[in-house]
Amino acid sequence: MSYQRRVVDQTLDELFPHLAAIALEGAKGVGKTATGTQRATTVLDLSRDLPRETVAADVERVVDEPPPVLVDEWQLVPSVWDAVKRAVDADATGGRFLLAGSAGVAPGVRTHSGAGRIVSLKMRPLSVYERGLCEPTVSLRELLAGTAEKIQGRSPVTLAGYTDEILASGFPGIRDLPEHARQAQLDSYVARIVTRELADSGVTVRRPRALRAWLAAYAAATATDASYSRVLDAATAGEDEKASRNTVDSYREHLTRLFVLDPVEAWVPVFSPLKRLTKTPKHHLVDPALAARLVRVGKTGLLRGDGTRIARATGTWLGALFESLVTQSVRVYADAADAETGHLRTTESDREIDLVVEGDDQQVVAIEVKLAGTVSGHAVRHLHWLGDQLGDRLVDKVVITTGEQAYRRPDGVAIVPLALLGP
């Protein structure tokens, strides 16, 4: 099967010829190996017993192989990181090493930070642009530069189509399977996390069923900033014996280290008059398809509004999953533009903006997500409020919808169907 280029490939095209070592980080199944293999002369797959044992016995082998060298699942032999760091210290010629990892180093294992030697790039599941639904007409990079004057285009993707995309997942090896097989693979993905991946990371899961229940509760909190105590209460409703907060915190830490949890941090502006902003992250799993499977609501149920949500959030479960799909894609595009993605909510909850993307020179694009084809003036009021606070720093205001047409409103807000947004 031919390789499908990813958004991160453009970044690799620009950086790898000039940088000696790049680490591709992300959850299992997002496509790190396929992307790294395209650029490698030598591939050392440490998920296989023989290569792992060989490299563990002689870690300098990664330096002696013909470059570029891809070390896949490098974290299984953590000394690889320091060996590459030393090699880069000795010879910083570009294009020598790619390190692909589906987890950070386990707690207690010491490695050099890699700062100045190894550059890390995050890979996520396929963005909507990478799924090839249609040709995008609006660029996030141009929005950040303040040069997206023409907002136009027509999307063929309907609400039902976006629902299909949520359930299909962005994992390249899963999304093209028949529905039943795809669901089985997603269920297996969750089961492996609970029964194997955490154990391989040195975490003892004494009650796998309780951990799975916590994951389902976290999934139900998708696109909210519900407190972790509330998530735990939802996971253990009706049970006398509840997991301790320390146990749950440990699970959460390790699931984040495995890139399974992918929360959006609160945006905290620098040199801004904004005060009283919450610092609580918004909850997201690495892929909304996993959240949908954990909560056990399919296409018919999503379209009729089924699905339990946690906390104060309004709207439907489908709306939460659509926001998660948008968030996943926006973060891919923002990473390619060297921009950071956060969310904004005041402590009084009277102002909230789903996504805030901040690029160079503190230029900001504010994004609201609406599970609708049309947008009212009420829906853009918080965007205008932020504009009043930030002035020229807010270079564009955007509402991402499930609609058909991209256009700019008379008040300057860009209305963009998700399928028409690209990097």
Side-chain angles (χ1 to χ4, degrees):
M1 189 171 72
S2 63
Y3 174 70
Q4 174 188 352
R5 272 181 65 87
R6 306 290 295 273
V7 170
V8 75
D9 277 303
Q10 179 62 40
T11 304
L12 287 168
D13 289 345
E14 295 170 1
L15 296 183
F16 195 42
H18 309 288
L19 300 179
I22 291 178
L24 295 174
E25 301 176 338
K28 282 187 179 296
V30 298
K32 302 181 301 298
T33 303
T35 294
T37 301
Q38 302 306 305
R39 300 167 189 275
T41 298
T42 302
V43 178
L44 299 174
D45 181 2
L46 303 193
S47 67
R48 297 170 54 215
D49 291 342
L50 182 58
R52 183 172 65 254
E53 292 168 4
T54 302
V55 170
D58 179 14
V59 74
E60 296 302 322
R61 179 186 169 188
V62 302
V63 179
D64 297 333
E65 295 286 351
V69 178
L70 168 64
V71 186
D72 200 11
E73 301 296 355
W74 70 266
Q75 78 281 353
L76 297 176
V77 183
S79 55
V80 164
W81 185 272
D82 287 339
V84 169
K85 176 261 177 187
R86 291 192 297 270
V88 174
D89 283 342
D91 179 2
T93 302
R96 296 182 64 198
F97 302 103
L98 287 169
L99 306 179
S102 57
V105 175
V109 177
R110 297 188 63 181
T111 62
H112 186 276
S113 69
R117 284 88 163 184
I118 304 172
V119 172
S120 294
L121 298 178
K122 186 77 169 283
M123 284 191 70
R124 291 184 166 88
L126 294 166
S127 65
V128 169
Y129 161 69
E130 291 169 315
R131 301 179 192 203
L133 306 182
C134 66
E135 189 65 26
T137 58
V138 180
S139 161
L140 181 61
R141 189 185 294 270
E142 291 180 4
L143 290 169
L144 277 166
T147 59
E149 296 178 1
K150 280 193 172 182
I151 302 296
Q152 59 187 6
R154 188 175 295 275
S155 166
V157 185
T158 63
L159 176 60
Y162 287 118
T163 306
D164 287 336
E165 286 304 317
I166 288 166
L167 297 173
S169 98
F171 292 118
I174 292 178
R175 61 176 282 101
D176 292 328
L177 295 172
E179 181 181 10
H180 193 202
R182 185 175 67 237
Q183 291 173 343
Q185 281 282 44
L186 290 168
D187 290 341
S188 176
Y189 192 100
V190 173
R192 283 199 306 271
I193 291 166
V194 173
T195 61
R196 179 176 173 182
E197 302 299 335
L198 285 171
D200 287 349
S201 297
V203 182
T204 301
V205 180
R206 292 185 174 84
R207 299 172 61 201
R209 187 172 177 181
L211 174 56
R212 185 183 175 90
W214 185 88
L215 269 171
Y218 184 93
T222 291
T224 77
D225 60 357
S227 69
Y228 291 116
S229 60
R230 188 155 189 176
V231 173
L232 178 57
D233 287 343
T236 56
E239 295 185 17
D240 294 330
E241 183 182 353
K242 297 181 184 292
S244 72
R245 179 64 183 269
N246 288 340
T247 297
V248 172
D249 286 349
S250 173
Y251 289 159
R252 179 164 53 84
E253 175 189 347
H254 288 285
L255 289 167
T256 302
R257 190 169 61 80
L258 292 169
F259 308 106
V260 174
L261 307 187
D262 198 9
V264 174
E265 298 299 325
W267 179 64
V268 180
V270 180
F271 305 121
S272 164
L274 291 172
K275 305 295 182 184
R276 298 188 301 276
L277 298 181
T278 180
K279 296 183 180 179
T280 309
K282 254 190 179 182
H283 307 307
H284 291 278
L285 288 164
V286 65
D287 194 294
L290 289 175
R293 284 303 293 165
L294 282 161
V295 175
R296 291 307 221 218
V297 180
K299 182 176 181 179
T300 300
L302 287 174
L303 289 172
R304 71 179 174 221
D306 292 352
T308 301
R309 300 191 66 189
I310 288 178
R312 58 174 188 81
T314 58
T316 64
W317 176 226
L318 178 56
L321 293 176
F322 179 67
E323 181 178 332
S324 193
L325 180 66
V326 171
T327 298
Q328 181 192 75
S329 294
V330 166
R331 293 171 102 177
V332 171
Y333 312 152
D335 286 349
D338 290 326
E340 298 289 333
T341 306
H343 79 95
L344 181 151
R345 183 170 68 83
T346 58
T347 51
E348 298 85 1
S349 299
D350 57 339
R351 303 289 183 182
E352 184 171 4
I353 294 175
D354 294 324
L355 296 168
V356 179
V357 182
E358 183 171 6
D360 291 338
D361 301 319
Q362 299 177 351
Q363 291 183 303
V364 169
V365 172
I367 300 173
E368 289 278 34
V369 180
K370 298 298 177 187
L371 188 75
T374 58
V375 176
S376 67
H378 182 76
V380 301
R381 68 194 187 283
H382 294 166
L383 297 177
H384 292 314
W385 165 80
L386 187 60
D388 291 340
Q389 308 304 308
L390 297 184
D392 292 342
R393 278 186 63 189
L394 186 63
V395 293
D396 221 324
K397 310 166 189 174
V398 182
V399 180
I400 297 180
T401 74
T402 57
E404 180 180 340
Q405 188 69 42
Y407 62 96
R408 195 177 285 282
R409 287 166 46 104
D411 60 5
V413 177
I415 309 301
V416 184
L418 175 57
L420 296 183
L421 182 68

